[in-house]
Amino acid sequence: MFKKITDLKQDDLYEKTVLMRVDFNVPIKNNQVQDGFRIKQVLPTVEYLVEAGAKVILISHLGASKATLKPVADWLNQFIPVKFSTKVVDTEAVKNLTAGEVLLLENLRQNSGEETNDEVLAKDLAKGADIYINEAFSVSHRPHSSVVRVPMILPSYVGFLFMKEYEELSRVFSASKPFVVVLGGAKFSTKMPVVESLAPLADDIFLGGALVHILWRKMGYEVGQSLVDEGIKGLDEILKLKNVHLPQDVVVTGVNNERLNKLPEQVGMQEVISDAGKQSVDKIVEAISGAQFVLWNGPLGLVEKGFTDSSRQIAEAVASSEAYSIVGGGDTVAVLNDLNLIDDIDFVSTAGGAMLEFIAAGTLVGLEALSD
């Protein structure tokens, strides 16, 4: 089992150099952070360390390898003074830190060793640090250097957010009944292990979004020009599950961009399935209204192209339900954010892929590294 930041006393942290892996992979446009939700969740841990007099080094990735974390440093300075280094490894800047100071290093992915789980990079990051803290549950499904190599070198702990993610997502394994699951998004390959894992636990699993298209194709339906996650095996077993429900109807976009509500078997060769239909949404909303526990990950429509109707209705249903609710996935959280419903959900996870993998497997490679 991993050790927690609360296992450390104030004296254990005073003037100690703490290397903390965070996930500041947030949307940035025109050098401005567009959504700081994920960053805000880490602030309590940063503030805890600062108040204890630790020297804090924050490390994170950000999108592509050339992206810079400078806008994140600027955003953070609204809440807490942060120094920024343009280097992934900056021994001199680390050496010059004093008690209570915070340093954000440049995007880890500017060093190719991060994604190849390079031992040299891990040693360079750990150099000069006394303690490692993983506060990035959302990337702990990735076998990257800062996630699984560094914990092998330094005494390692998890932060408050990591603890919260682990404890809240673990609730799924003993969820109260009726337990309703809503899964959307694009890739069925990432959702299939979750469906298999939750099928014995959930009363109803509603599938939506592009991940349904491969199932419909397996059933012989036309999916037109819609996105399809190819090459997946084991679909027959999924289709046999009585508590797994596919949409009853869909919204399609025709050749002239008109929006039409159709049954799955009515989709034309030139059409694109863009959203869940009215009957499908009504059925999900009804199930949510009678649930005791709801898990939702992934939008039901092409939200990036403006097809948000179904996802917005699901969000409102979950927010108004008396069920214990857990929601995760970047696009899903964005829908909640747009509707100002974040505070109406019992737990909003900062994780997407890691959330799914944890629910499917009960562990993550980053968790295993901390335990080892």
Side-chain angles (χ1 to χ4, degrees):
M1 187 63 175
F2 53 78
K3 292 179 285 187
K4 306 172 184 178
I5 190 173
T6 48
D7 293 331
L8 293 165
K9 299 176 182 177
Q10 293 275 3
D11 291 346
D12 297 325
L13 292 168
Y14 183 67
E15 291 197 334
K16 293 294 191 297
T17 303
V18 177
L19 181 71
M20 186 159 77
R21 179 44 158 117
V22 294
D23 184 2
F24 289 165
N25 185 32
V26 295
I28 292 174
K29 186 177 180 180
N30 298 325
N31 292 320
Q32 298 285 327
V33 171
Q34 300 298 297
D35 182 0
F37 171 76
R38 184 175 275 173
I39 308 174
K40 285 181 181 177
Q41 307 312 302
V42 177
L43 287 176
T45 305
V46 177
E47 291 165 352
Y48 179 86
L49 294 171
V50 167
E51 289 171 8
K55 306 170 187 178
V56 184
I57 310 161
L58 303 177
I59 55 175
S60 175
H61 74 288
L62 176 65
S65 59
K66 292 182 180 179
T68 178
L69 281 165
K70 179 63 166 61
V72 174
D74 295 339
W75 191 93
L76 272 169
N77 268 298
Q78 301 174 75
F79 304 95
I80 193 167
V82 175
K83 294 182 175 181
F84 178 69
S85 171
T86 57
K87 300 177 181 178
V88 175
V89 176
D90 194 336
T91 308
E92 194 64 27
V94 170
K95 185 179 178 181
N96 291 331
L97 278 176
T98 58
E101 286 190 324
V102 180
L103 169 69
L104 174 62
L105 296 177
E106 186 55 284
N107 179 6
L108 284 163
R109 289 188 181 173
Q110 289 191 11
N111 186 309
S112 60
E114 166 65 357
E115 294 183 89
T116 59
N117 195 14
D118 183 56
E119 184 177 3
V120 174
L121 175 60
K123 288 181 177 179
D124 287 343
L125 289 169
K127 189 175 182 181
D130 302 299
I131 295 167
Y132 170 81
I133 293 179
N134 187 336
E135 191 62 317
F137 185 95
S138 51
V139 296
S140 292
H141 60 312
R142 295 185 177 131
H144 292 176
S145 184
S146 65
V147 176
V148 299
R149 283 280 183 185
V150 177
M152 298 178 184
I153 302 169
L154 296 171
S156 301
Y157 301 81
V158 301
F160 296 120
L161 174 60
F162 194 111
M163 287 164 52
K164 185 74 170 173
E165 293 274 4
Y166 178 84
E167 291 166 357
E168 289 291 332
L169 294 180
S170 293
R171 286 175 177 260
V172 171
F173 305 124
S174 57
S176 301
K177 301 281 193 172
F179 175 21
V180 174
V181 179
V182 181
L183 296 174
K187 291 186 177 181
F188 191 65
S189 55
T190 62
K191 301 293 194 300
M192 187 169 173
V194 181
V195 174
E196 293 172 331
S197 175
L198 293 182
L201 304 176
D203 294 275
D204 292 292
I205 300 176
F206 294 95
L207 302 183
L211 60 89
V212 174
H213 302 163
I214 186 65
L215 292 168
W216 274 333
R217 180 176 284 181
K218 180 72 175 178
M219 295 167 66
Y221 291 164
E222 175 64 58
V223 295
Q225 303 301 305
S226 311
L227 177 68
V228 178
D229 195 5
E230 303 280 7
I232 302 173
K233 298 179 181 179
L235 298 177
D236 287 330
E237 286 70 24
I238 297 297
L239 290 170
K240 289 176 185 175
L241 295 170
K242 300 297 184 183
N243 58 342
V244 173
H245 311 291
L246 306 189
Q248 296 170 292
D249 58 344
V250 292
V251 174
V252 300
T253 310
V255 290
N256 297 316
N257 287 324
E258 71 274 23
R259 297 186 181 189
L260 303 169
N261 208 95
K262 289 190 172 187
L263 300 176
E265 59 267 30
Q266 296 174 330
V267 176
M269 292 179 64
Q270 300 305 315
E271 293 176 328
V272 177
I273 300 170
S274 304
D275 206 350
K278 184 180 185 305
Q279 291 182 54
S280 303
V281 175
D282 287 347
K283 186 176 180 180
I284 297 172
V285 168
E286 182 182 2
I288 289 171
S289 68
Q292 287 295 312
F293 198 106
V294 176
L295 173 69
W296 178 28
N297 182 294
L300 302 189
L302 300 175
V303 293
E304 70 278 8
K305 294 185 179 180
F307 291 88
T308 60
D309 288 352
S310 66
S311 298
R312 292 169 72 91
Q313 290 178 65
I314 299 303
E316 289 168 349
V318 175
S320 61
S321 169
E322 294 183 3
Y324 195 89
S325 53
I326 295 180
V327 177
D331 289 334
T332 321
V333 175
V335 172
L336 290 172
N337 215 14
D338 288 343
L339 295 171
N340 294 315
L341 293 176
I342 292 282
D343 294 338
D344 295 313
I345 307 299
D346 290 295
F347 181 66
V348 178
S349 176
T350 60
M355 171 185 177
L356 296 171
E357 191 164 320
F358 178 75
I359 291 170
T363 189
L364 300 169
V365 290
L367 260 174
E368 298 297 314
L370 291 164
S371 300
D372 292 343

